[in-house]
């Protein structure tokens, strides 16, 4: 499965073909279930360095999307880089030609200025037309995680 396949599935809901393909690739053979009082649930695939999240449609604030009542929407895909104690490093190309060798300045050259940044915790966000990109950096240095998620309202 290519990285773009993950990105294209963000915003689709459980039961749609792209989500079914993604879940099969990750070895997930059960329907996502959100615990009472929670808004979302995650599936992890540590050997591939990927984590995905489903959010109940009623908890989303995505202005350009319409979902059936109760739909579980693929709201984010996280790709893990070097240094994770739990996950293997994601080995495919990263979204928007990013790489785990890049720092925040490199990402900004490619995507422009971040819409949000917190240097203290090393998290940065870029808002794009169909999704946003979160990048976590270790002590402001190289990328350790990249997350593609539905747009932030």
């Amino acid at each position: 499965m290519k990285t773009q396949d993950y990105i294209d599935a963000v915003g689709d809901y459980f039961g749609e073909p792209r989500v079914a393909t993604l879940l099969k690739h990750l070895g997930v053979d059960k329907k996502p279930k959100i615990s009472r009082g929670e808004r979302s649930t995650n599936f992890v695939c540590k050997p591939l360095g990927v984590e995905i999240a489903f959010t109940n449609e009623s908890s989303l604030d995505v202005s350009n999307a319409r979902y059936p009542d109760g739909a579980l929407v693929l709201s984010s895909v996280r790709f893990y880089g070097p240094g994770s104690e739990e996950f293997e490093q994601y080995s495919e190309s990263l979204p928007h030609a990013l790489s785990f060798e890049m720092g925040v300045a490199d990402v900004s050259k490619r995507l422009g200025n971040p819409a949000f940044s917190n240097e203290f915790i090393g998290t940065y966000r870029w808002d794009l037309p169909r999704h946003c990109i979160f990048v976590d950096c270790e002590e402001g240095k190289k990328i350790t995680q990249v997350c593609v998620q539905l747009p932030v309202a």
Side-chain angles (χ1 to χ4, degrees):
M1 176 166 263
K2 297 188 183 313
T3 302
Q4 190 62 46
D5 296 329
Y6 287 100
I7 295 168
D8 290 344
V10 171
D12 287 359
Y13 57 89
F14 181 80
E16 291 190 291
R18 289 190 292 208
V19 172
T21 300
L22 186 149
L23 290 173
K24 183 177 180 181
H25 175 72
L26 296 176
V28 176
D29 59 0
K30 59 183 179 179
K31 180 179 179 177
K33 183 179 179 189
I34 298 175
S35 299
R36 179 174 287 164
E38 298 292 327
R39 297 175 40 184
S40 62
T41 188
N42 294 17
F43 287 114
V44 299
C45 186
K46 293 178 182 182
L48 294 179
V50 175
E51 179 176 7
I52 62 173
F54 286 90
T55 302
N56 188 296
E57 57 78 27
S58 65
S59 297
L60 294 174
D61 191 12
V62 182
S63 61
N64 60 345
R66 299 288 179 256
Y67 299 109
D69 288 345
L72 300 177
V73 180
L74 180 65
S75 54
S76 70
V77 178
R78 181 174 302 274
F79 305 102
Y80 286 86
S84 173
E85 294 179 11
E86 293 183 48
F87 289 82
E88 294 295 321
Q89 180 174 326
Y90 182 68
S91 62
E92 300 296 322
S93 61
L94 290 173
H96 301 285
L98 302 180
S99 86
F100 290 120
E101 295 298 315
M102 291 178 154
V104 174
D106 301 315
V107 178
S108 293
K109 285 178 188 172
R110 187 167 305 279
L111 301 179
N113 292 327
F116 167 84
S117 64
N118 184 326
E119 293 178 17
F120 181 72
I121 61 172
T123 297
Y124 306 85
R125 185 187 83 227
W126 286 264
D127 294 335
L128 304 172
R130 288 195 61 239
H131 57 266
C132 61
I133 300 279
F134 281 87
V135 169
D136 289 350
C137 293
E138 185 178 79
E139 299 175 16
K141 297 180 183 174
K142 293 182 181 179
I143 295 172
T144 58
Q145 296 178 27
V146 174
C147 181
V148 177
Q149 80 169 41
L150 290 172
V152 175

